[in-house]
Amino acid sequence: MTSSSSPFNRRTVLRGTLAAGTGAALGPLLLSGSAYAYSWSRTLTQGMTGADVTELQIRVGGWATGSAGHTRVAVDGDFGPGTATAVRLFQSAYGLSSDAVAGPATQSQLNALQQSDGSTVHFDFSEFTDRVSGTFAGGKVSAAAAKENARRAMYKLEALRKKLGNVPITVNSGFRSIAHNADVGGASDSMHLYGTAADLDVPGVANRTVYQKAETCGFSGLETYAEDHQHVDSRADLGRAWWWEDGTV
């Protein structure tokens, strides 16, 4: 298997694809402002393939492993052993039968984590938009691809939040336009430019603890926990090498 600005307030009640970094269609198009629940049409088990498996992989992406490791859930539409492990860990965390079968109960819990605009129950798209323009435009991928990458990051952050004991997580910086990234001194190929990165603040929780839990959430980029925030990203989803600055693996 593979600089911060003021936070937005987060909605705490439930309201209601494009390939990461490429803009190629891979799943359901989530329409902003419309009532939405993903229409799972079948029970999903190991060995199956399809767009619904792709969506499942996105939603369990934060449950890649039970311990620190360079392990991620491949978003490839192929329900293999890595996806099965993630489904099993997700089920266990939410008190479901841990059988790696994504049936109605598991699918219902997955849908309980979404909002009507395609974001997740504890994270909003407004938290991930460029802090200057308020959009997903002007980065190194299309606005639609950057927004989809942010959606995928949200599901990993939902897993991180759960593993930290359901404590609130503030996203200080998500997607950045090329212009804004340059203004704040970001790296020329920063993962923020693709919408796949987030700088986090978790009040009351040490960055080291956040970092260590993030090591189990499929994040392939982790900046040192000695900073005043915790950076996470999914650079391996874009074909980049893993980078854990304080990692033990």
Side-chain angles (χ1 to χ4, degrees):
M1 289 181 290
T2 57
S3 130
S4 308
S5 51
S6 59
F8 287 79
N9 290 328
R10 183 176 300 110
R11 287 182 287 261
T12 57
V13 295
L14 180 63
R15 291 184 295 142
T17 82
L18 298 168
T22 66
L26 257 191
L29 180 63
L30 304 179
L31 302 178
S32 178
S34 59
Y36 184 84
Y38 187 77
S39 298
W40 306 98
S41 61
R42 56 179 179 164
T43 292
L44 299 176
T45 60
Q46 191 167 338
M48 289 183 169
T49 61
D52 49 1
V53 175
T54 297
E55 185 64 21
L56 174 66
Q57 291 168 328
I58 291 168
R59 297 190 182 209
V60 299
W63 299 94
T65 177
S67 59
H70 285 187
T71 304
R72 55 184 280 272
V73 178
V75 182
D76 58 7
D78 187 350
F79 196 139
T83 302
T85 293
V87 171
R88 188 177 294 110
L89 290 170
F90 174 86
Q91 291 169 326
S92 179
Y94 284 93
L96 302 170
S97 177
S98 184
D99 56 8
V101 176
T106 298
Q107 293 166 359
S108 178
Q109 182 60 62
L110 291 169
N111 279 359
L113 292 175
Q114 72 184 18
Q115 297 197 67
S116 61
D117 64 353
S119 61
T120 64
V121 64
H122 295 110
F123 299 93
D124 295 329
F125 284 120
S126 62
E127 297 175 273
F128 290 81
T129 54
D130 179 72
R131 291 300 190 250
V132 175
S133 69
T135 72
F136 287 100
K140 289 207 168 184
V141 293
S142 70
K147 184 176 182 179
E148 172 62 12
N149 287 340
R151 183 177 80 93
R152 296 182 181 200
M154 289 179 191
Y155 279 102
K156 290 183 179 180
L157 292 176
E158 287 288 351
L160 178 60
R161 189 184 194 278
K162 183 78 169 175
K163 294 174 187 182
L164 289 171
N166 289 314
V167 296
I169 295 175
T170 298
V171 177
N172 294 325
S173 180
F175 168 76
R176 296 178 194 157
S177 67
I178 293 172
H180 178 51
N181 185 66
D183 286 344
V184 300
S188 61
D189 198 37
S190 168
M191 293 297 103
H192 289 280
L193 297 168
Y194 300 86
T196 191
D199 292 345
L200 312 176
D201 179 37
V202 188
V205 180
N207 277 356
R208 182 181 183 129
T209 299
V210 177
Y211 185 106
Q212 290 171 334
K213 292 297 184 182
E215 288 180 310
T216 71
C217 295
F219 289 113
S220 45
L222 294 172
E223 187 178 20
T224 176
Y225 46 73
E227 298 291 340
D228 62 357
H229 62 274
Q230 182 58 61
H231 171 96
V232 299
D233 69 57
S234 297
R235 61 187 61 208
D237 290 356
L238 304 183
R240 313 301 172 82
W242 286 68
W243 176 69
W244 286 2
E245 194 167 4
D246 290 315
T248 57
V249 177

